[in-house]
Amino acid sequence: MRISLRVNGVLYEVDVEPRRLLVHVLRELGFTSVRVGCDTATCGACTVLMNGRPVKSCNVLAVQADGAEIYTIEHNDEVMSRLKESFKRNHAAQCGYCTSGMLLTSYHLVKRGVKSEVEIVEGISGVLCRCTGYQNVVKAVKEAAGL
Amino acid sequence: MYPPVFEYVRPASLGEALRILEGREDAAPIAGGQSLIPLLKLRAISYGLLVDINRIPELRYARYGEVVELGALTRHYELEESPCPFLRQVAVRIGDVQIRSLGTLGGSLAHADPFGDWPAAMLALGAVVEVAGVAGVREVAIDDFIKGPYSTALERGELIVGVRFKCPERGAYVKFSRRHNDFAFAAVAVAGSVKDGHVIDVRIAALGAADRPVRLKKAEAVLAGAPLKPGVVAEAVDAARKEAEPPFDFRASAEYRRHLLGVALKRALGAL
């Protein structure tokens, strides 16, 4: 089936088998910042923004995303750049595997005007980090959000 | 892992979707897919045809009047900011932000997970489920809709159109889970009304009290018409723990669940 995806503002048209997952299609388009982690919709490493909302791309059929606007961490607007800088300053990554998911869920939080640490913790709870222990991620998001 | 091979169609209307579902015994509807896709990937289930109902306008509505009417395609996240406060309390405890972006109210009810948040909430609300098939539309009370674990009153080829209920004057949802985004060990949903410190009417539904979401009718009976005081609450908690038959699994033992159900009920009543 032929589908179209607008990824970071660029329109792609691809032929996909209906059973193929969004994560695989994005990676084959070159967006390897979208990780395959647990592949069971738990860890959030495959998170992308789909029409402005974070989704786990290992848990979405590519055909379901037909016509959607997708953002990965290469979507470098002012908020994303600020977050990346803040992550760097606060050492909010160690192995880096969860970082794409952390950045994109944080981007969504900052965009909608996150107001408290509790909201940040809840907002990133769908991304599992197995090395930093979250403290520095929360710090980085707070700083980027001006909290 | 990829799901097994299936055909895929994306009907534009409810009628078209129902005709397709009726015509193919190996067909299943997919909405958000947040439970369906993991099961397909695990190869725990498989279908010859997936009918994508995401773009059917008749399933997408939200009307807040004296009665609240919500379409099956209402996403969990949309209810995080619902005008009905009880729905907000439930919505924010479902999965995580990513799951809530796609998962739907109708999907949650049709899947009927034994630990599904919406089935419990709808039981507490006494919701009516509107179900459509090629023969027409029928209405099923939520108490008759949930038939067992992963089992509902839906017949082959039928789709949930939406639900209808009154936003409760008072409501509370208390859920205990290992992580914020996990399924519940135990959860209690309470909806009803209170006047001059007395419970006028109340419905209590629980997760982790049986092999499916169930009402705690003995606890309801203790509370009906009674003053909302510590002694009465303690009696209701006692009744709830006695009537519960909690399952045990890798998440929690039956006894732990029984204990938590009481705590959840006490907190929910305290928050009314």
Side-chain angles (χ1 to χ4, degrees):
Chain A
M1 183 174 168
R2 192 148 187 90
I3 63 162
S4 70
L5 298 171
R6 189 175 289 279
V7 189
N8 304 326
V10 178
L11 190 67
Y12 294 84
E13 292 215 347
V14 279
D15 275 312
V16 296
E17 214 189 321
R19 64 174 175 153
R20 304 213 59 216
L21 302 162
L22 181 60
V23 65
H24 297 121
V25 172
L26 288 171
R27 287 180 62 84
E28 280 162 24
L29 286 174
F31 299 99
T32 50
S33 65
V34 187
R35 318 280 194 217
V36 180
C38 69
D39 201 17
T40 60
T42 306
C43 80
C46 64
T47 299
V48 297
L49 296 186
M50 182 167 136
N51 298 325
R53 296 280 315 177
V55 301
K56 293 175 181 171
S57 62
C58 82
N59 209 28
V60 181
L61 301 173
V63 286
Q64 281 180 294
D66 187 12
E69 176 95 52
I70 307 285
Y71 284 172
T72 68
I73 55 166
E74 286 82 6
H75 169 75
N76 244 341
D77 62 2
E78 192 274 324
V79 170
M80 183 60 86
S81 306
R82 190 163 15 122
L83 272 164
K84 285 178 182 171
E85 277 307 312
S86 181
F87 267 55
K88 207 155 66 178
R89 240 188 336 270
N90 290 284
H91 303 281
Q94 191 165 317
C95 85
Y97 209 83
C98 72
T99 306
S100 304
M102 288 293 183
L103 279 168
L104 286 158
T105 46
S106 303
Y107 178 89
H108 176 248
L109 283 169
V110 173
K111 276 281 189 183
R112 52 172 252 230
V114 63
K115 289 183 208 68
S116 68
E117 187 168 325
V118 174
E119 275 181 47
I120 294 173
V121 171
E122 203 281 321
I124 64 168
S125 71
V127 185
L128 302 184
C129 167
R130 299 286 86 152
C131 33
T132 70
Y134 306 100
Q135 301 296 324
N136 288 351
V137 178
V138 173
K139 247 166 74 186
V141 181
K142 274 174 84 171
E143 190 183 300
L147 291 174
Chain B
M1 201 197 320
Y2 291 173
V5 174
F6 53 79
E7 293 171 65
Y8 171 88
V9 286
R10 194 193 292 150
S13 73
L14 181 58
E16 196 188 338
L18 292 172
R19 276 192 300 279
I20 297 168
L21 286 164
E22 175 72 14
R24 281 276 295 261
E25 227 166 278
D26 61 345
I30 179 167
Q34 298 302 286
S35 298
L36 181 62
I37 294 173
L39 288 170
L40 289 170
K41 286 167 70 177
L42 285 169
R43 313 254 165 156
I45 51 169
S46 72
Y47 296 102
L49 174 70
L50 285 191
V51 182
D52 186 340
I53 60 171
N54 280 290
R55 303 183 195 201
I56 296 177
E58 294 103 308
L59 303 179
R60 169 164 285 288
Y61 56 86
R63 294 188 276 270
Y64 288 90
E66 198 171 318
V67 174
V68 180
E69 296 172 286
L70 298 172
L73 280 181
T74 305
R75 312 272 168 195
H76 306 321
Y77 83 87
E78 294 176 288
L79 297 175
E80 288 174 38
E81 283 165 24
S82 165
C84 177
F86 175 69
L87 297 180
R88 295 203 293 270
Q89 288 190 50
V90 179
V92 297
R93 290 310 318 274
I94 299 172
D96 47 46
V97 65
Q98 295 100 314
I99 301 291
R100 298 201 293 270
S101 292
L102 291 173
T104 65
L105 175 57
S108 169
L109 293 175
H111 183 51
D113 191 289
F115 291 95
D117 298 280
W118 286 129
M122 292 298 137
L123 268 177
L125 289 168
V128 172
V129 185
E130 196 184 316
V131 172
V134 280
V137 175
R138 63 190 181 105
E139 293 182 339
V140 187
I142 187 71
D143 298 74
D144 303 323
F145 185 82
I146 306 290
K147 293 277 193 201
Y150 307 105
S151 171
T152 69
L154 282 172
E155 303 279 354
R156 190 179 76 77
E158 284 187 325
L159 283 173
I160 297 174
V161 177
V163 293
R164 195 175 71 224
F165 52 84
K166 282 196 168 153
C167 179
E169 187 194 301
R170 309 275 181 100
Y173 188 57
V174 177
K175 171 177 171 178
F176 292 110
S177 53
R178 287 187 303 182
R179 300 186 311 270
H180 184 89
N181 58 0
D182 200 0
F183 284 97
F185 295 131
V188 169
V190 181
S193 54
V194 180
K195 201 176 171 195
D196 302 328
H198 281 67
V199 176
I200 305 296
D201 56 79
V202 67
R203 285 174 65 104
I204 304 171
L207 298 174
D211 64 353
R212 70 196 75 176
V214 286
R215 299 233 334 254
L216 298 177
K217 292 188 179 172
K218 294 207 166 110
E220 287 176 5
V222 169
L223 290 162
L228 206 49
K229 287 187 173 152
V232 175
V233 170
E235 208 185 314
V237 164
D238 229 36
R241 284 185 175 140
K242 281 205 184 92
E243 71 183 299
E245 292 172 33
F248 78 96
D249 56 25
F250 67 95
R251 284 195 176 86
S253 68
E255 274 321 294
Y256 184 42
R257 286 204 160 101
R258 193 185 302 284
H259 171 74
L260 286 181
L261 282 165
V263 179
L265 178 59
K266 190 175 169 189
R267 288 191 192 168
L269 292 173
L272 279 188

